[in-house]
Amino acid sequence: MTAVLSVRGLTTVLHLADGPVEVVKSVSFDIGAGETVALVGESGSGKSMTMLSVMGLHPQPTAEIVGGEVLLDDVDLVGADERYRRSVRGSSMAMVYQDPMTSLNPLMRIGAQIEEVLTAHGTSRRAAQARVLEVLAEVGIPQPARAARAFPHEFSGGMRQRVVIAMAIALRPALLIADEPTTALDVTIQQQIIALVRRLQAETGTAVMWITHDLGVVARVASRLLVMYAGRLVETGSTRAVFARPEHPYTAGLIAAIPPARVAERAPLRQIPGAPPDAAHAPSGCPFHPRCPEVVPRCREEMPPLTQRPGSAAACWVPPSQWSVPADAERGQAS
Amino acid sequence: MTESPILRAEDLVKVYPIRGTGQELRAAAGVSFTLDRGETLGIVGESGCGKSTTGRLLVRLEEPTSGRIELAGEDVTRVRGRALRAVHRRIQLVFQDPFASLNPRLTVAQTLEEVLRVYQLAGDKAGRRRRVQELLGMVGLRTGFAERYPHQMSGGQCQRVGIARALAVEPQVVVLDEPVSALDVSVQSEVMNLLTRLRDELELSYVFISHDLGMVRHISDRIVVMYLGRIVELGPWRAVSDEPLHPYTRALQEAVPLADPDLEAGREIEPLRGEVPDPANPPSGCVFHPRCPLAEDVCRTEDPALLELLPGHQAACHVAAREVARAGRPA
């Protein structure tokens, strides 16, 4: 599979009053054409900062990329000038945020906003106007001509998110980065948006990077997942393999913390003591060690590398065969 | 003789005027249920369904426009002043946002001691100190947390303080409004386990309000499903969550992604069409009919009653009622 995006050793720091803090720590991954990959993490894991860095939209100068490469069509965006980066944003890769109003101007008609994205990348005004109506219809907005003349506040949250998706796909980007696009929406609307993204993907072959904290969404949308903790990737692999046999205790804990579906007997949920650290206070060695049931002395000293296995990788000194809490422990019995 | 329910809601209606329009919004449009002693009743629904309004009515943070609330057989619908304070000794609310619900200027000890002082519990200052330590122990916080301020604690720790504050008055009923929704996944399970343990140890009764059907399914004995201010389904946890009678519950259940790729792979899911209608202008007949895949003519004109279609299992649906009568199960 050809990679649409190759991220190599991406490292981003935040310049805080006490000095620089690494919030994205040597993150590497590929996304293949047409693939859906989930980037999973809790608050402070660095998942959003990773993708903002990929897009070149990290809040500068507070945030700074200090290492690594972001290869889009084999061109390194980190080293490229801002004009080139701007030219690929929107056309080759586009981002959808949790809050649609991040991307929408409240004072501008919706059609004009989408048109602006198109003309900024060289589409003629006339062609852009036609494309606006087409793309609004593609994302399932009724009466596109009327919608194009409306302002964002005239739409519900779900419809606004459709507008933002229309804006993001208007130039048929090879990669769509969706940062918690359904977290603020009701679950029946979330399902509509998931179905929409899937349909667009099937029609256009866009690759999708879905950033989420919700393992249910991961299981529904992604063929592969990347698990992030305290600025690092701690596990990657195919969604099915990772859910069936997690190789990092954090991933295993997260999966077992969720009430299992369709069980007849309800058992207490797996607990992970403590709370996710923020990057500024990440513990030494493996950042998960203070919360980990499998901790050994080495974990406190040394960060384990993300060890590649066929189709998966995990950053843990203790192999699952030696865990004291097996990955499938404490799960209720399926009926 | 069967024990009477600890809490009874009878045809609760809450109408808010919409400023400047002369219109009104029926946030709760005739909500009735009972809560047994030691029972957990889950209330699930999407935004605007009236679940939080119902919770606020139950604890009498707001007064219902009409209807009746009974606490241990006593009518508390319109009590005020001292009588209302007595009600609040028996029924408490835990809020969703653990930070926002704590006073940022008070330490944990001050927050809890204030409750004890207001309700004249735990005797003198020394007694209150002891009780604070006991409450912290109950919710699994080390004694050192007594001197912390909210900003010095994680979301999960703040929520534990919120739970301790509710328990300080030794209530019989706790209404939990989205108690884990603001927390990280790895922290949610801890709070869920804590709630389950406290319920069993202290023989509490819970009303557990959430948009998260998975969490509701995990903790509830019975589940209420609300849509646009109404109860559309009510029944045993497993029946409602896994074999729902109402098409809205079924759509909700299908829309919830399961954290299990094998189960997900086998699901053919048609998203529910449309969005929740404007509650100020609800549809005629069954309020769900514009989105319902099973809607018939009768649904557009007649509001279906909430009927017991299977033992202990109620639903408000013309189609489900007919199908259950005919075939013993929904279509």
Side-chain angles (χ1 to χ4, degrees):
Chain A
M1 189 163 32
T2 49
V4 173
L5 177 74
S6 275
V7 174
R8 291 284 166 271
L10 181 66
T11 302
T12 304
V13 300
L14 277 185
H15 294 287
L16 301 177
D18 308 339
V21 174
E22 279 189 7
V23 288
V24 179
K25 299 176 185 179
S26 193
V27 166
S28 301
F29 60 87
D30 287 342
I31 301 176
E35 201 185 12
T36 305
V37 178
L39 179 60
V40 186
E42 297 182 282
S43 53
S45 64
K47 58 188 191 300
S48 292
M49 192 56 80
T50 299
M51 297 322 289
L52 286 172
S53 301
V54 165
M55 289 287 290
L57 294 172
H58 51 294
Q60 301 178 60
T62 313
E64 187 191 354
I65 298 175
V66 295
E69 296 180 327
V70 174
L71 298 166
L72 186 74
D73 295 327
D74 296 325
V75 179
D76 178 19
L77 297 182
V78 176
D81 64 10
E82 178 56 25
R83 211 176 53 175
Y84 181 77
R85 276 203 296 267
R86 210 177 308 143
S87 75
V88 298
R89 271 202 300 267
S91 62
S92 300
M93 60 178 179
M95 193 144 175
V96 174
Y97 297 88
Q98 175 174 339
D99 176 3
M101 289 316 287
T102 308
S103 321
L104 295 174
N105 180 340
L107 302 177
M108 225 172 133
R109 292 178 200 279
I110 277 160
Q113 300 193 46
I114 302 174
E115 200 182 305
E116 197 176 70
V117 174
L118 291 158
T119 53
H121 287 89
T123 310
S124 73
R125 199 147 175 251
R126 210 190 152 105
Q129 283 172 342
R131 178 71 182 135
V132 165
L133 300 184
E134 197 178 272
V135 81
L136 284 172
E138 275 175 42
V139 299
I141 290 182
Q143 298 180 281
R146 205 170 133 190
R149 289 193 302 274
F151 289 95
H153 71 88
E154 297 175 56
F155 286 93
S156 67
M159 281 294 161
R160 275 183 216 152
Q161 201 57 294
R162 285 176 192 262
V163 170
V164 173
I165 291 170
M167 201 185 280
I169 62 156
L171 286 155
R172 295 258 177 272
L175 174 65
L176 183 68
I177 299 171
D179 188 358
E180 304 262 14
T182 61
T183 302
L185 303 175
D186 274 321
V187 67
T188 59
I189 307 303
Q190 164 172 285
Q191 177 50 18
Q192 292 173 357
I193 297 292
I194 289 174
L196 168 66
V197 172
R198 273 198 180 155
R199 178 169 59 72
L200 294 170
Q201 228 177 336
E203 287 166 10
T204 65
T206 301
V208 176
M209 181 84 178
W210 200 294
I211 305 173
T212 182
H213 69 283
D214 184 333
L215 288 177
V217 170
V218 175
R220 183 163 287 185
V221 305
S223 55
R224 212 150 55 76
L225 82 165
L226 312 167
V227 183
M228 215 168 166
Y229 190 81
R232 295 178 191 276
L233 288 184
V234 295
E235 178 155 14
T236 68
S238 88
T239 305
R240 283 190 118 136
V242 171
F243 275 80
R245 291 176 306 281
E247 293 179 346
H248 195 287
Y250 173 62
T251 317
L254 267 190
I255 294 168
I258 297 168
R262 298 182 187 168
V263 294
E265 298 295 329
R266 295 169 295 185
L269 303 170
R270 174 89 71 87
Q271 298 185 184
I272 304 178
D278 65 67
H281 302 96
S284 64
C286 169
F288 188 58
H289 86 255
R291 307 178 71 194
C292 184
E294 314 303 340
V295 64
V296 295
R298 192 179 189 184
C299 309
R300 298 187 182 93
E301 314 284 324
E302 229 181 310
M303 175 64 200
L306 190 65
T307 308
Q308 295 291 336
R309 297 179 184 82
S312 72
C316 180
W317 293 121
V318 187
S321 58
Q322 292 172 24
W323 288 357
S324 61
V325 185
D328 58 355
E330 297 169 41
R331 300 283 280 174
Q333 290 302 302
S335 55
Chain B
M1 194 185 101
T2 53
E3 246 184 319
S4 63
I6 185 75
L7 186 68
R8 180 193 295 277
E10 234 177 73
D11 206 19
L12 287 183
V13 173
K14 180 66 182 177
V15 178
Y16 297 104
I18 303 174
R19 228 183 324 172
T21 62
Q23 279 185 306
E24 44 186 38
L25 190 157
R26 289 165 87 80
V31 172
S32 303
F33 55 78
T34 59
L35 176 71
D36 287 334
R37 287 165 206 269
E39 188 186 31
T40 297
L41 184 76
I43 303 183
V44 68
E46 298 181 283
S47 44
C49 74
K51 58 187 190 300
S52 288
T53 299
T54 301
R56 295 170 68 82
L57 293 176
L58 293 176
V59 299
R60 284 294 322 281
L61 269 184
E62 293 185 57
E63 205 167 292
T65 308
S66 65
R68 184 180 161 94
I69 302 165
E70 279 176 24
L71 189 59
E74 181 194 333
D75 184 350
V76 299
T77 320
R78 313 224 167 259
V79 295
R80 296 247 163 90
R82 285 172 70 113
L84 182 57
R85 182 166 296 178
V87 167
H88 287 156
R89 272 216 56 192
R90 294 192 286 168
I91 182 164
Q92 280 282 316
L93 180 67
V94 172
F95 298 88
Q96 168 173 0
D97 188 335
F99 284 107
S101 65
L102 296 175
N103 183 336
R105 294 167 190 278
L106 297 185
T107 63
V108 169
Q110 287 167 336
T111 292
L112 298 177
E113 281 172 22
E114 184 178 285
V115 176
L116 296 171
R117 204 166 42 239
V118 167
Y119 288 89
Q120 297 174 328
L121 299 167
D124 59 1
K125 202 166 166 67
R128 289 197 290 270
R129 277 276 152 85
R130 276 195 303 276
R131 177 70 176 144
V132 165
Q133 293 302 333
E134 192 179 291
L135 286 165
L136 290 179
M138 279 163 59
V139 297
L141 290 175
R142 282 181 288 107
T143 54
F145 278 90
E147 302 315 317
R148 292 215 192 168
Y149 289 92
H151 74 269
Q152 297 170 311
M153 297 186 293
S154 68
Q157 289 160 349
C158 284
Q159 195 55 296
R160 284 168 190 266
V161 174
I163 294 166
R165 181 178 55 186
L167 296 180
V169 301
E170 298 172 64
Q172 296 165 298
V173 181
V174 182
V175 176
L176 302 142
D177 189 2
E178 303 269 13
V180 300
S181 301
L183 305 177
D184 272 312
V185 176
S186 72
V187 179
Q188 287 184 342
S189 61
E190 247 181 21
V191 174
M192 290 300 284
N193 289 350
L194 172 70
L195 290 172
T196 311
R197 182 170 59 72
L198 289 171
R199 177 190 63 193
D200 298 345
E201 283 176 14
L202 303 174
E203 297 174 355
L204 297 167
S205 309
Y206 285 160
V207 176
F208 185 94
I209 299 168
S210 178
H211 72 285
D212 184 336
L213 186 56
M215 288 295 175
V216 167
R217 185 190 187 281
H218 179 71
I219 201 168
S220 305
D221 296 302
R222 287 184 303 145
I223 297 174
V224 167
V225 183
M226 290 186 71
Y227 186 79
L228 220 63
R230 293 151 176 82
I231 294 180
V232 296
E233 183 155 4
L234 193 173
W237 66 274
R238 227 176 147 209
V240 173
S241 62
D242 299 354
E243 286 151 23
L245 293 173
H246 197 284
Y248 174 65
T249 314
R250 204 172 315 154
L252 197 61
Q253 177 222 40
E254 287 179 353
V256 177
L258 304 175
D260 183 330
D262 294 331
L263 291 180
E264 276 298 323
R267 299 175 98 193
E268 279 298 326
I269 296 155
E270 188 59 36
L272 192 61
R273 64 180 179 230
E275 302 188 351
V276 178
D278 179 4
N281 190 14
S284 62
C286 170
V287 290
F288 185 58
H289 89 255
R291 305 180 75 192
C292 184
L294 307 178
E296 301 174 354
D297 284 343
V298 62
C299 308
R300 287 177 256 280
T301 53
E302 260 178 69
D303 192 4
L306 186 66
L307 299 174
E308 183 163 347
L309 303 183
L310 294 168
H313 192 167
Q314 305 174 314
C317 174
H318 297 298
V319 179
R322 187 186 65 220
E323 292 303 315
V324 172
R326 197 172 60 98
R329 57 188 172 81

